[in-house]
Amino acid sequence: MQITVKLFATFREGRFKVETREVTTPCSVGQLVAALQLPVEKLGVLLVNGRHVELEYLLNEKDVCAVFPQIGGG
Amino acid sequence: MPEDLRSFLQSAAMDGLVDWQAYETVRHLFSVSYADIELAVLEQGLFPQRYKAQYQLFQPEGQLRLYQARVAVVGCGGLGGFLVEELARVGVGRLLIIDPDVFDESNLNRQLLATIDSLGEPKVEVAAARIANINPAVAVNPVELFLTEENGEQLLAGTDVVVDALDSIAARRELGNVCRRMDLPLVHGAVAGWYGQLAVQPPGEDLISRLYPHPPQPEMEAFSDNFAAGVAAVASLQAALVIRIILKDILPVGRWFSLDLKSMDIDHVDFIEK
C-alpha cells in the first residue's frame, strides 16, 4: 500500500521532508520508524492524518504519517 | 495618585505623549516610582513617548493591559534573554525571571545577555540590570533558582502567563505539569539548530506531556547545537504569542508550530483527540 511520510526538524537531516512510500501490509508506525532508521529514543509526537498515535498503530492505504523528534534546546 | 500629579502629566503631555524627561521630573517632584508614573499616564489615556512607534498596534487600552500583565520567564539563557528584552521593550509591566545559572563563555554565541563583562554573573541579575537600563517602569523579580514540581506553584503564584525558555526536556515536563495544575497558560518554545517549535499549552491542559511523551534519555539533554539566529527566531515568536494572549486572550488551543529555518517554512499541527 501507499502512504505519505512527513518528517520534521532534525529528522529531516540526511532524509527528506515529505515522501510517498510503498510499504507491505500490515505496517505499523513502529515498523515505518525502524525502516527509516529513526532513533526511537528521540521520537516525539507521532501523527496519522492529524491524530495522535502510538508506535503500534497499523497504517492504512493513503495515510499521512508525521513524525517529530523531541527537541529540547533553549 | 495625587490629583496634582495627574494634572502635571496632562500639562507635560505633547500630543498625548509623555516623554522620559517628564517621568524624571514627576519622579523627583512627587517621590513616586517609574511604574507608578507609567500607570498614571496610561490610566489617563495618555501614552508614553517610548512606545510611540507601537501606538497604533496597541492603543492606550492595550498598552495598559501589557503594563498590568505579570509574565514569568522560566529560563534566562538563549530563549529567555531575547524574551525578557522584547517583553520589557514592549512594556510588559511585571517580569518574574527564574534561572539558577551564571553566564559562561560558551553562552556568548547565542545568549543576548552574555557579554565579556557578564561572565560568571547570575543570569537573572544581569537580566534585571539590563531591563532597568532599558525600561525602568518594568518591575523585575529575579529568582536565582531551578523551578521544580515542588517549588513551582509557590514561585509562579500570581502570574498571568508563563513562558517556557528552558533548555532541557526534563525541566519542561515539570514546568508543564505545574502550569497545568495552576491553570496557567504556558507559551512553549524549544530550539535545535535550524529547527524550532512553539506551542501554547492552554490553562489546565497537558500539551507539553504530549510533545514530550517520554522522560528523556540522559544523553539527549546535551545534544543540540544552537546559534543566535535560531534561538532569537523562536524567542521572538514566543514573545508575540505572549503579547497576543495578554491583549486578546486568544489561545490557539492545541496548536503547535514547527519551524525549519533551512527551508524557511513553518508547519502547524492542530492536535485532534484520539
Side-chain angles (χ1 to χ4, degrees):
Chain A
M1 65 178 171
Q2 213 172 52
I3 56 151
T4 299
V5 185
K6 290 183 174 179
L7 300 180
F8 291 89
T10 46
F11 283 172
R12 290 178 172 177
E13 296 287 337
R15 297 188 187 87
F16 55 87
K17 280 167 67 175
V18 56
E19 193 175 280
T20 301
R21 292 172 80 91
E22 197 66 41
V23 296
T24 52
T25 314
C27 179
S28 68
V29 172
Q31 287 169 308
L32 178 66
V33 163
L36 291 166
Q37 296 185 304
L38 295 168
V40 176
E41 72 279 4
K42 290 185 181 171
L43 281 179
V45 172
L46 301 169
L47 300 172
V48 172
N49 306 327
R51 285 179 191 276
H52 213 143
V53 298
E54 304 293 336
L55 286 169
E56 299 73 33
Y57 182 89
L58 290 176
L59 294 162
N60 295 300
E61 175 77 20
K62 303 285 184 203
D63 273 350
V64 178
C65 182
V67 186
F68 296 79
Q70 298 192 97
I71 64 172
Chain B
M1 195 61 54
E3 191 53 42
D4 48 351
L5 188 153
R6 292 178 199 281
S7 53
F8 183 94
L9 288 172
Q10 285 290 350
S11 61
M14 299 277 285
D15 299 326
L17 297 172
V18 180
D19 68 10
W20 191 250
Q21 187 63 50
Y23 272 61
E24 292 286 17
T25 307
V26 168
R27 185 162 167 265
H28 287 112
L29 283 177
F30 298 93
S31 299
V32 288
S33 70
Y34 293 118
D36 291 336
I37 300 164
E38 187 132 311
L39 178 62
V41 168
L42 292 168
E43 280 186 337
Q44 291 184 87
L46 298 170
F47 211 70
Q49 170 80 27
R50 68 160 52 238
Y51 304 127
K52 185 184 174 198
Q54 62 194 38
Y55 184 95
Q56 296 297 335
L57 293 174
F58 303 132
Q59 307 284 334
E61 307 79 50
Q63 195 67 55
L64 181 58
R65 293 194 72 161
L66 290 169
Y67 169 85
Q68 290 168 328
R70 296 161 296 183
V71 176
V73 178
V74 186
C76 192
L79 295 171
F82 287 103
L83 273 158
V84 297
E85 175 94 4
E86 294 178 25
L87 295 174
R89 285 189 188 275
V90 82
V92 167
R94 275 171 282 186
L95 288 174
L96 167 66
I97 309 172
I98 303 171
D99 195 307
D101 290 338
V102 298
F103 283 110
D104 75 45
E105 195 170 339
S106 66
N107 301 148
L108 287 168
N109 81 315
R110 69 194 183 287
Q111 301 193 13
L112 182 67
L113 299 169
T115 61
I116 298 295
D117 288 340
S118 71
L119 297 183
E121 299 293 323
K123 293 182 175 182
V124 294
E125 295 299 338
V126 175
R130 170 82 177 172
I131 293 168
N133 205 24
I134 293 170
N135 193 348
V138 178
V140 186
N141 182 10
V143 175
E144 203 178 333
L145 284 176
F146 192 79
L147 185 142
T148 64
E149 292 217 45
E150 284 67 45
N151 67 14
E153 294 195 31
Q154 192 183 349
L155 289 177
L156 298 179
T159 300
D160 299 315
V161 185
V162 181
V163 192
D164 165 8
L166 292 160
D167 64 355
S168 91
I169 291 169
R172 283 193 165 89
R173 285 162 52 96
E174 294 203 32
L175 177 63
N177 289 339
V178 172
C179 290
R180 178 174 47 76
R181 284 202 301 270
M182 295 179 75
D183 275 332
L184 288 172
L186 172 63
V187 178
H188 158 72
V191 61
W194 296 93
Y195 307 101
Q197 66 183 34
L198 57 153
V200 178
Q201 174 173 290
E205 300 283 332
D206 67 343
L207 189 64
I208 294 295
S209 63
R210 295 210 249 169
L211 289 176
Y212 300 105
H214 312 293
Q217 309 292 317
E219 69 274 13
M220 278 187 62
E221 292 290 20
F223 69 92
S224 64
D225 280 7
N226 280 302
F227 69 125
V231 172
V234 172
S236 295
L237 292 169
Q238 284 182 282
L241 279 171
V242 171
I243 294 165
R244 293 306 302 164
I245 290 170
I246 292 169
L247 292 179
K248 294 281 186 191
D249 294 322
I250 288 177
L251 298 173
V253 175
R255 171 171 291 193
W256 62 290
F257 301 86
S258 181
L259 182 69
D260 178 346
L261 294 173
K262 268 191 172 173
S263 45
M264 287 290 164
D265 55 33
I266 299 181
D267 291 276
H268 74 262
V269 174
D270 290 311
F271 274 115
I272 306 169
E273 290 303 319
K274 282 184 208 175

